[in-house]
Amino acid sequence: MKNVPTPEIWFITGSQHLYGEAALKQVAANSSKIVEALNASGRLPLKLVFKPVLTRPEEIRALCLEANGAANCAGLAIWCHTFSPSKMWINGLIQLRKPVLHFATQYNRDLPWSEIDMDFMNLNQAAHGDREHGFIHTRLRLPRKVVVGHWSDEAVQDRVAAWMRVTRAWSDWQGGKIVRFGDNMRYVAVTEGDKVAAEAKFGFSVNTHGVGDLVAALGEVRDAEVTALCSEYEELYHVAPVLCKGGDRHDVLRYNARQELGLRAFLEAGNFIGFSDTFEDLHGLTQLPGLAVQRLMADGYGFAGEGDWKTAAIVRAMKVMSADLPGGTSFMEDYTYELNPAGQLVLGSHMLEVCPSIAAGKPAIEVHPLGIGGKDDPARFVFDAHPGAAINVAMMDLGNRFRLLVNEVDVIAPSQPLPKLPVARAVWKCRPDLKTAVAAWIYAGGTHHTGFSYAVTTEYIEDLAEIAGVEVAVIDAETRLREFKQQLRNDEIYYHLAPGLGRL
């Protein structure tokens, strides 16, 4: 993945002056050592930056305001080494607009039982300080993630790393731009949404460019660039002979290369992080972009078809979250079911645009009729997704709020060949089972488009929802339909009242 942001996380330590200067020096030294060790662990995707120990209200407020204005600061990890009276934090925390991780740890892992005296107790009061801090966070309705455990524990480091990946995606959304080429597919409800509300809630903007603007960008591409990219395709992928240089349909591959180069130039010039198009609005294009979209997704751009800007945004966020992880992330759609009682499955795909990052092997590039849209036959990657645990994620605009929806799934190899389905595809089992998962998805108003990932887990989406202050509903192995429906009803009430219970 190419265009990945690399912000930093500030490590904030709370204490107070009652313990004396010697104790505060030790607090700072211990805190600095924790930061150094975590950075050296190799398990964190972002750099932790040690900040001076905070002991006064003025320092706390100044730090929070500084963080707000620091474009490269994605969030704060806050730890109370000792007791840090939380009233000192009020004026800073009510100003803070960056994500927060409350790291409930302590410097020492084991207690030196025979040596414990009151000096030790005064210095090592994280258990005391974390509860004080937890109260003020709750009292101020501060969204945050709480991670508990010793900082050297790899499982604890992994939970911190997950939050960091989400803050990286959140930082990327702030001021991020999604472009739609044309409008959304006509008469479709779920791809509609309030773009003003989305920008206010999530930080990214969505605007439309006419397809003619993209056509003009394609016109700027030089033939030599097209030739070079076609050669790259033949080196990297299994290209159908008919598409190779000298083949009867090499012109199709060249046009797809021109689409990729024109799209890439347009996205780079506009500093866009994602895009969408629709087969109903292709004026001036002879093909719906397929291979071009798939390659751009592999480079990290968010995408969704049919003008679905919400899914394009969630795919981009999941791409950024998983940039340093194996497995792959893609745009996806639940297309059709296997309802055999012996084994009920979902066949996921899309007309063309599934990312090769999820491929089980080297993708093939083929050309076939699309069967919809009335344009020329487009080239596309054809492959099966690799087996493994994954999630599907949807973002819906429910009118009064946004909802994120997750279904945990298990991808398997297709039980039979698919010789007449020339698209990229994934086959999966839903958790807890197809009937429950699909019913829950429908009750929740889930979209037919999703972000699909092996690398992003439910925890990441829950962290994202916490930062954004939006609802999240999860369909997993423990889901029971009666309880799930009641959760949705409860959420209707809570998220109606939540704005009045917001941060003080």
Side-chain angles (χ1 to χ4, degrees):
M1 181 168 162
K2 295 180 179 178
N3 53 342
V4 185
T6 56
E8 60 192 26
I9 301 295
W10 292 2
F11 193 87
I12 312 303
T13 309
S15 188
Q16 63 176 337
H17 276 282
L18 291 180
Y19 305 115
E21 290 304 313
L24 288 177
K25 288 181 180 179
Q26 190 62 53
V27 167
N30 291 351
S31 183
S32 180
K33 289 177 183 177
I34 290 175
V35 170
E36 290 174 6
L38 288 172
N39 282 332
S41 72
R43 304 186 76 86
L44 303 187
L46 299 181
K47 181 182 178 181
L48 273 178
V49 176
F50 171 75
K51 291 292 180 178
V53 177
L54 300 177
T55 60
R56 302 181 187 278
E58 299 81 7
E59 297 168 351
I60 296 166
R61 184 175 186 275
L63 186 283
C64 290
L65 292 175
E66 182 186 359
N68 287 344
N72 202 39
C73 174
L76 307 184
I78 301 177
W79 173 46
C80 290
H81 187 307
T82 63
F83 188 70
S84 183
S86 63
K87 280 188 67 179
M88 294 195 306
W89 290 76
I90 293 173
N91 210 5
L93 293 178
I94 62 174
Q95 306 287 339
L96 185 62
R97 293 295 178 265
K98 293 293 176 80
V100 169
L101 173 79
H102 183 178
F103 196 12
T105 190
Q106 62 184 30
Y107 182 69
N108 58 297
R109 189 191 70 175
D110 305 317
L111 286 175
W113 295 95
S114 63
E115 301 175 10
I116 295 175
D117 56 18
M118 285 311 299
D119 286 340
F120 178 90
M121 297 292 275
N122 285 334
L123 182 62
N124 297 282
Q125 289 195 64
H128 188 187
D130 283 332
R131 282 161 172 76
E132 172 77 353
H133 227 51
F135 168 77
I136 204 60
H137 290 170
T138 299
R139 178 68 176 81
L140 298 178
R141 276 68 172 183
L142 181 74
R144 80 278 196 191
K145 179 173 187 173
V146 179
V147 174
V148 181
H150 195 257
W151 50 269
S152 66
D153 184 337
E154 290 185 351
V156 170
Q157 294 173 1
D158 287 346
R159 293 203 66 214
V160 174
W163 175 81
M164 281 186 167
R165 294 186 178 99
V166 176
T167 63
R168 181 170 63 191
W170 181 256
S171 178
D172 180 67
W173 266 2
Q174 306 314 297
K177 298 192 296 181
I178 306 288
V179 58
R180 292 195 307 166
F181 295 108
D183 203 350
N184 62 308
M185 182 178 172
R186 291 187 280 277
Y187 301 113
V188 176
V190 77
T191 55
E192 297 282 3
D194 187 334
K195 297 189 289 293
V196 173
E199 187 168 355
K201 178 60 71 175
F202 300 113
F204 60 80
S205 65
V206 183
N207 288 290
T208 298
H209 276 261
V211 179
D213 293 340
L214 178 56
V215 172
L218 267 61
E220 296 295 319
V221 176
R222 294 176 297 166
D223 288 345
E225 295 175 286
V226 172
T227 299
L229 186 53
C230 287
S231 296
E232 181 179 327
Y233 293 159
E234 293 191 35
E235 292 176 6
L236 296 177
Y237 312 110
H238 297 300
V239 181
V242 71
L243 291 172
C244 292
K245 186 176 182 180
D248 292 342
R249 307 205 66 183
H250 184 60
D251 61 314
V252 175
L253 190 67
R254 289 187 63 84
Y255 188 73
N256 276 266
R258 186 174 295 277
Q259 284 185 323
E260 179 183 336
L261 292 163
L263 263 169
R264 189 181 299 277
F266 188 96
L267 296 172
E268 290 176 352
N271 198 29
F272 294 107
I273 61 174
F275 66 105
S276 183
D277 59 25
T278 173
F279 62 88
E280 287 187 324
D281 194 350
L282 295 174
H283 184 71
L285 297 176
T286 64
Q287 301 170 10
L288 175 66
L291 178 60
V293 168
Q294 292 174 296
R295 290 253 304 173
L296 287 164
M297 259 197 291
D299 282 346
Y301 286 101
F303 173 82
E306 294 135 39
D308 187 356
W309 53 268
K310 298 187 297 299
T311 303
I314 200 66
V315 169
R316 168 62 181 182
M318 295 170 72
K319 285 281 188 182
V320 174
M321 291 177 198
S322 61
D324 59 322
L325 297 173
T329 296
S330 180
F331 170 54
M332 187 58 71
E333 177 173 291
D334 294 52
Y335 232 105
T336 190
Y337 302 136
E338 165 79 13
L339 295 178
N340 189 323
Q344 301 191 338
L345 304 170
V346 176
L347 173 57
S349 183
H350 204 255
M351 293 183 295
L352 298 172
E353 313 97 340
V354 175
C355 180
S357 66
I358 68 170
K362 182 186 290 188
I365 300 178
E366 301 177 10
V367 58
H368 300 276
L370 186 60
I372 192 170
K375 290 288 184 177
D376 292 347
D377 302 341
R380 80 292 301 271
F381 284 128
V382 178
F383 58 83
D384 292 318
H386 64 84
I391 61 172
N392 276 302
V393 182
M395 178 192 290
M396 297 87 75
D397 182 346
L398 299 180
N400 63 334
R401 69 186 190 281
F402 291 91
R403 171 183 285 160
L404 295 174
L405 179 62
V406 180
N407 185 201
E408 298 179 356
V409 303
D410 295 288
V411 182
I412 63 171
S415 59
Q416 299 182 44
L418 295 160
K420 295 184 178 181
L421 185 63
V423 293
R425 59 263 173 155
V427 178
W428 63 79
K429 298 178 181 179
C430 297
R431 298 182 192 174
D433 57 77
L434 185 141
K435 290 180 180 178
T436 301
V438 172
W441 193 271
I442 291 171
Y443 276 119
T447 64
H448 57 284
H449 291 160
T450 62
F452 170 91
S453 182
Y454 297 90
V456 176
T457 67
T458 298
E459 180 180 10
Y460 289 65
I461 306 305
E462 290 174 325
D463 287 351
L464 179 64
E466 180 74 14
I467 292 171
V470 299
E471 177 188 7
V472 60
V474 177
I475 306 167
D476 59 15
E478 305 303 318
T479 296
R480 300 295 179 266
L481 200 54
R482 181 181 294 113
E483 290 80 3
F484 186 83
K485 290 168 66 179
Q486 187 58 49
Q487 176 200 340
L488 296 179
R489 296 186 189 103
N490 294 344
D491 286 353
E492 287 282 358
I493 298 170
Y494 173 79
Y495 285 96
H496 178 72
L497 299 175
L501 300 173
R503 294 176 63 179
L504 302 181

